[in-house]
């Protein structure tokens, strides 16, 4: 078993980024990114690959308690540093402490400023009754509660995001440690601490950071209640409540969370989850779903499912009308096989500044995707231990398949909820590497630059710039 992130792979990851960026910049010279974006990308990629290697070595000898403490505080320090930097960076670049072309983030902020001045009755009437939908009510409710206490303070809100994201890194380790070897679980925690996308969202006024915390908290508590020797009503109820809270952020997340919980109960080995416990937990899940039957949440899920094909077609038509001429080819059939390595990294300047801010983190996802493929192949065909990962696997696979069929298959923001599970799978895939599977990784070293050049060609060509 490999107990740390190999230096050879880490160095190759950074080297291939530099090669990919150089090739893209030369081949598409007229659309080469500016120095600011290149520096940001280099920092993101270097932070992940170089520190993942060194920290997985240095922290291997720590006790679990020491490890959790240092994971939280290092994650918090990195996120606070980005929050402060990005606040003034965006202020200088856009004239306001919000990202380029900010829409949803400013909308959330302004809505919460208004609701903070309203009595709670009006707040609940507006968020849960007058709009006719629960989806996307959770984050405005959270911001309203926060603004009523501290006022509409943007920087404090983002400092709290840094805390939530750091706590999420701790939970990722706890979840991973029950499903794989300790050293692999520690790698997963380190990957979460250093993952650029998870850091960048702490500096945005979007719902993703809080949503990711709820996702990981649900998975961690669901896994705990299935595997813990002691359980009670509170322990069983908590993951169910967390699953339903996800409906207040994105309908499909709540549906996939409940699906993954039931799937894990059905397929988890009896030696891991006793049959009697499966029956009891399943009873509570079914009871909770029954309470909501016929309600707004069930109606939203039904509408989402019935309109799945229409929504995908509408999204592609919208992208085409905005000038993305090749978007019509991005069907679910095309995108689904690539979903574990998406989104592709945008290394050319097509006027999409937010994608260039995140291009380093997206490159990391592209490069690390090979370890997801290795882990899946091993779990299904080699070790055949896929039942041990029923909860994590069913959640991430279920969610990513839904997104690949929705028209948002390469949308970084919509793919983000799968990232915490992918981080865990990366660590597992690395831990089981052997001479045979490493040959496949070597092929991937060739595929990655081709992938980045191909995506650059698609981005430029689909906008008719050739």
């Amino acid at each position: 078993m490999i107990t740390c992130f190999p230096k050879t792979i880490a160095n190759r990851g950074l080297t291939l980024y530099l090669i990919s960026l150089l090739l893209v910049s030369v081949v598409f010279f007229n659309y080469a990114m500016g120095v600011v974006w290149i520096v940001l990308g280099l920092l993101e990629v270097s932070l992940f690959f170089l520190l993942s290697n060194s920290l997985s070595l240095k922290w291997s000898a720590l006790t679990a308690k020491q490890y959790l403490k240092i994971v939280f505080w290092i994650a918090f320090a990195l996120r606070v540093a980005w929050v402060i930097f990005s606040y003034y960076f965006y202020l200088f670049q856009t004239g306001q402490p919000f990202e380029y072309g900010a829409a949803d983030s400013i909308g959330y902020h302004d809505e919460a400023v208004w609701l903070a001045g309203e009595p709670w009755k009006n707040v609940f009437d507006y968020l849960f009754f007058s709009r006719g939908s629960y989806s996307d009510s959770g984050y405005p409710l959270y911001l309203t509660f926060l603004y009523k206490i501290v006022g509409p303070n943007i920087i404090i809100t983002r400092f709290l995001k840094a805390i939530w994201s750091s706590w999420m890194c701790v939970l990722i380790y706890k979840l991973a440690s029950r499903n794989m070897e300790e050293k692999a679980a520690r790698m997963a925690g380190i990957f979460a601490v250093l993952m650029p996308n998870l850091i960048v969202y702490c500096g945005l006024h979007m719902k993703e950071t809080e949503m990711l915390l709820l996702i990981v908290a649900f998975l961690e508590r669901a896994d705990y209640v299935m595997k813990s020797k002691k359980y009670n009503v509170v322990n069983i109820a908590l993951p169910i409540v967390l699953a339903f809270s996800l409906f207040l952020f994105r309908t499909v997340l709540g549906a996939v969370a409940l699906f993954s919980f039931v799937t894990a109960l059905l397929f988890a080995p009896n030696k891991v989850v006793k049959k009697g416990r499966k029956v009891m937990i399943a009873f509570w899940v079914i009871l909770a779903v029954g309470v909501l039957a016929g309600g707004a949440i069930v109606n939203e899920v039904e509408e989402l499912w019935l309109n799945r094909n229409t929504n995908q077609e509408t999204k592609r038509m919208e992208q085409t009308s905005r000038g993305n001429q090749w978007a019509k080819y991005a069907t679910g059939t095309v995108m689904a096989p690539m979903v574990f390595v998406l989104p592709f990294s945008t290394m050319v300047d097509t006027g999409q500044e937010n994608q260039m801010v995140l291009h380093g983190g997206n490159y990391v996802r592209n490069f690390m995707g090979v370890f997801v493929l290795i882990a899946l192949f091993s779990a299904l065909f080699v070790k055949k231990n896929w039942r041990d990962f029923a909860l994590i696997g069913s959640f991430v696979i279920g969610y990513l398949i839904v997104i690949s069929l929705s028209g948002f298959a390469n949308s970084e923001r919509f793919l983000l909820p799968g990232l915490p599970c992918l981080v865990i799978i990366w660590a597992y895939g690395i831990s089981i590497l052997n001479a045979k599977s490493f040959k496949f990784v070597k092929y991937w070293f060739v595929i990655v630059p081709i992938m980045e050049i191909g995506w650059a060609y698609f981005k430029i060509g689909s906008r008719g710039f050739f």
Side-chain angles (χ1 to χ4, degrees), residues 11-25:
N11 290 342
R12 190 61 61 90
L14 178 56
T15 301
L16 287 178
Y17 168 75
L18 295 173
I19 291 173
S20 300
L21 182 60
L22 178 62
L23 290 174
V24 168
S25 299

Side-chain angles (χ1 to χ4, degrees), residues 125-426:
D125 285 344
Y126 170 74
L127 291 177
F128 298 103
F129 299 103
S130 66
R131 301 195 304 179
S133 172
Y134 291 156
S135 182
D136 212 25
S137 295
Y139 187 58
L141 178 63
Y142 163 76
L143 279 185
T144 299
F145 177 78
L146 185 60
Y147 286 5
K148 279 180 176 289
I149 296 175
V150 301
N153 192 307
I154 292 174
I155 200 73
I156 289 179
T157 302
R158 294 179 186 174
F159 281 152
L160 285 174
K161 288 179 183 289
I163 293 176
W164 307 146
S165 186
S166 302
W167 184 17
M168 181 196 66
C169 295
V170 170
L171 294 179
I172 284 176
Y173 161 74
K174 289 186 174 182
L175 174 62
S177 65
R178 293 194 212 101
N179 292 275
M180 60 185 69
E181 297 290 338
E182 173 69 14
K183 300 298 184 182
R186 293 193 179 197
M187 270 195 285
I190 291 169
F191 290 158
V193 168
L194 302 174
M195 186 61 204
N197 302 59
L198 300 178
I199 296 173
V200 168
Y201 271 92
C202 294
L204 302 178
H205 231 65
M206 308 288 280
K207 65 182 178 181
E208 271 65 26
T209 297
E210 290 77 8
M211 188 168 70
L212 289 178
L213 174 62
L214 289 174
I215 290 169
V216 178
F218 156 73
L219 291 170
E220 194 274 332
R221 286 293 88 188
D223 185 72
Y224 174 82
V225 77
M226 289 193 297
K227 296 177 180 177
S228 175
K229 293 181 179 179
K230 296 181 180 180
Y231 64 98
N232 52 42
V233 173
V234 174
N235 287 340
I236 296 175
L238 185 54
I240 298 174
V241 171
L242 288 168
F244 280 114
S245 73
L246 292 172
F247 283 100
L248 303 182
F249 285 78
R250 191 173 293 165
T251 302
V252 68
L253 278 175
V256 172
L258 290 175
F259 164 79
S260 66
F261 202 178
V262 173
T263 300
L265 289 171
L266 288 174
F267 292 104
N270 289 330
K271 64 180 180 180
V272 176
V273 186
K274 301 300 181 183
K275 190 173 181 179
R277 181 172 299 191
K278 288 184 180 182
V279 173
M280 176 172 288
I281 298 173
F283 169 77
W284 278 93
V285 174
I286 293 170
L287 180 63
V289 173
V291 171
L292 292 172
I297 288 178
V298 172
N299 293 337
E300 285 184 38
V301 174
E302 182 180 10
E303 182 180 358
L304 183 69
W305 174 252
L306 292 175
N307 294 331
R308 64 194 185 281
N309 294 325
T310 303
N311 291 339
Q312 183 180 184
E313 185 64 28
T314 300
K315 175 62 178 176
R316 291 203 300 270
M317 289 177 63
E318 177 192 349
Q319 291 172 325
T320 302
S321 67
R322 292 203 310 260
N324 195 341
Q325 299 172 12
W326 295 350
K328 60 184 178 181
Y329 301 115
T331 63
T333 305
V334 173
M335 303 304 285
M338 301 183 287
V339 74
F340 296 112
V341 302
L342 295 175
F344 293 124
S345 178
T346 297
M347 295 185 178
V348 288
D349 189 347
T350 57
Q352 297 172 296
E353 292 89 350
N354 294 320
Q355 291 194 31
M356 289 190 288
V357 169
L358 281 165
H359 86 269
N362 290 342
Y363 167 82
V364 170
R365 294 188 64 159
N366 301 158
F367 182 88
M368 299 294 286
V370 66
F371 302 112
V372 178
L373 303 179
I374 290 172
L376 290 176
F377 184 82
S378 174
L380 291 172
F381 304 110
V382 182
K383 294 189 175 183
K384 298 181 180 180
N385 59 343
W386 60 271
R387 290 175 178 268
D388 296 335
F389 303 97
L391 179 64
I392 297 172
S394 59
F395 180 86
V396 68
I397 292 173
Y399 178 76
L400 291 179
I401 287 177
V402 169
I403 293 302
S404 70
L405 298 174
S406 70
F408 294 93
N410 198 58
S411 170
E412 190 277 335
R413 184 181 173 192
F414 280 86
L415 289 168
L416 190 69
L419 185 56
C421 292
L422 291 179
V423 162
I424 294 173
I425 299 173
W426 293 348

